[in-house]
Amino acid sequence: MIKHFPQNTDCAFRNVVSPSSHSEKERLTSPRYDCQFDVLSFPFRAKLTDKVKKALELSKGEPSPEVKKYVIEQCKKWNSVWVGRNKVAPLEPDEMEQLMGFPCHRSRGFSRTARYKTLGNSFQVDTVAHHLSVLKNMFPSGMNVLSLFSRIGGAEVALHRLGIPLNYVVSVEILPPPTCQGHLIQFTDVQEVIADKVEQWIRSCGGFDLVIGGSPCHNLAGGNRVSRHGHEEENSSLSFDYFRILNLVEFKMRNQH
């Protein structure tokens, strides 16, 4: 079972994902955006830009460590970049699209705030595929995958884009899973994944090669200034179930014989 993080492996072992056609990219990179908190409007960010500029202008010569820390924290917090002397500005939606690998003007047609929301709650499938490409040569005959919090099946689509056959997929997600080749099982509630169920799946497929997924993070995200309750919030606490299931799979596979 792949336990370590593929994105931390040597880039030399990764495969290049060939650009897909526009129509295919439209089909594969259209997530159901889940916007549950407000992104600050641009006028507020303009005020923040002025504060950063004043803090730097008041410094004589080299800014103090405190000013440097403040400026760096604000730039990281609000995705700001340098655009002139003592002047920062937030990344424009078009610039965010380019950095994320989306087609130009991917989110055009929505308000500025809506574009920040959608881009902030999305990912580009080929970017995920690049990180997972280290698995291509390791599993030429295909993989058995346990996908937790599958949502729209971005990981499965990324593996498909890489040409890695999905022999057996267990999708733990309340939404209907995406169609895929191979044997597919859907299980709706991650909290009901118990030891007996994991053992049953392992016996059926012979073991999982990859466990992947990402629990809800709305109440953990730094950009959430409305309801950032951390792991005390019901959905965010599901991250504990992710690690519980991961440990279950590892234990059951180690002792399956």
Side-chain angles (χ1 to χ4, degrees):
M1 182 182 70
I2 303 301
K3 183 178 179 182
H4 302 289
F5 296 101
Q7 68 267 26
N8 292 337
T9 55
D10 193 329
C11 290
F13 297 102
R14 297 180 187 175
N15 289 269
V16 176
V17 181
S18 301
S20 54
S21 65
H22 180 72
S23 59
E24 181 183 4
K25 185 158 293 190
E26 285 287 320
R27 179 175 62 83
L28 295 182
T29 61
S30 300
R32 295 178 182 140
Y33 298 120
D34 191 1
C35 308
Q36 298 190 11
F37 56 88
D38 292 329
V39 176
L40 295 179
S41 64
F42 181 71
F44 184 91
R45 293 191 178 200
K47 295 179 182 178
L48 179 66
T49 298
D50 290 338
K51 289 181 180 180
V52 170
K53 182 178 180 180
K54 290 177 180 178
L56 291 170
E57 289 179 342
L58 290 174
S59 300
K60 296 181 180 180
E62 184 76 11
S64 66
E66 292 77 15
V67 172
K68 288 182 179 179
K69 181 180 179 181
Y70 168 76
V71 172
I72 292 175
E73 285 179 348
Q74 296 307 309
C75 287
K76 288 181 178 180
K77 184 176 180 180
W78 304 113
N79 291 324
S80 298
V81 294
W82 295 106
V83 294
R85 182 176 176 81
N86 296 336
K87 186 177 181 181
V88 298
L91 286 171
E92 295 293 323
D94 289 345
E95 295 168 329
M96 291 183 66
E97 288 175 341
Q98 294 178 49
L99 288 173
M100 295 177 71
F102 283 113
C104 188
H105 309 320
R106 178 70 177 83
S107 59
R108 279 287 178 89
F110 299 96
S111 69
R112 184 191 188 90
T113 299
R115 294 182 72 188
Y116 279 124
K117 285 183 179 180
T118 55
L119 291 168
N121 290 291
S122 64
F123 60 87
Q124 212 277 350
V125 169
D126 286 350
T127 302
V128 179
H130 176 68
H131 291 304
L132 296 179
S133 64
V134 294
L135 306 175
K136 186 175 178 64
N137 295 329
M138 297 171 61
F139 298 96
S141 299
M143 304 181 68
N144 297 333
V145 178
L146 173 57
S147 179
L148 306 175
F149 312 100
S150 303
R151 300 302 290 177
I152 61 170
E156 292 91 321
V157 173
L159 292 169
H160 172 73
R161 288 277 292 116
L162 289 167
I164 301 177
L166 298 178
N167 300 328
Y168 195 103
V169 177
V170 176
S171 174
V172 183
E173 168 57 50
I174 193 170
L175 296 175
T179 58
C180 66
Q181 295 179 341
H183 188 69
L184 173 65
I185 292 179
Q186 183 189 14
F187 195 82
T188 57
D189 194 341
V190 69
Q191 293 180 303
E192 294 183 4
V193 177
I194 58 177
D196 290 345
K197 181 61 65 175
V198 170
E199 187 173 358
Q200 176 187 337
W201 291 335
I202 290 175
R203 284 200 307 268
S204 298
C205 68
F208 291 110
D209 302 306
L210 177 69
V211 177
I212 194 167
S215 57
C217 60
H218 304 298
N219 296 95
L220 301 173
N224 184 356
R225 293 294 177 267
V226 179
S227 57
R228 191 181 181 190
H229 303 309
H231 286 103
E232 300 301 318
E233 197 272 338
E234 181 180 0
N235 290 328
S236 296
S237 65
L238 293 175
S239 60
F240 295 119
D241 286 289
Y242 180 92
F243 288 103
R244 176 182 62 81
I245 295 170
L246 181 63
N247 289 332
L248 268 178
V249 172
E250 185 179 20
F251 175 78
K252 292 296 183 180
M253 287 187 60
R254 187 168 56 239
N255 296 279
Q256 64 178 323
H257 300 300

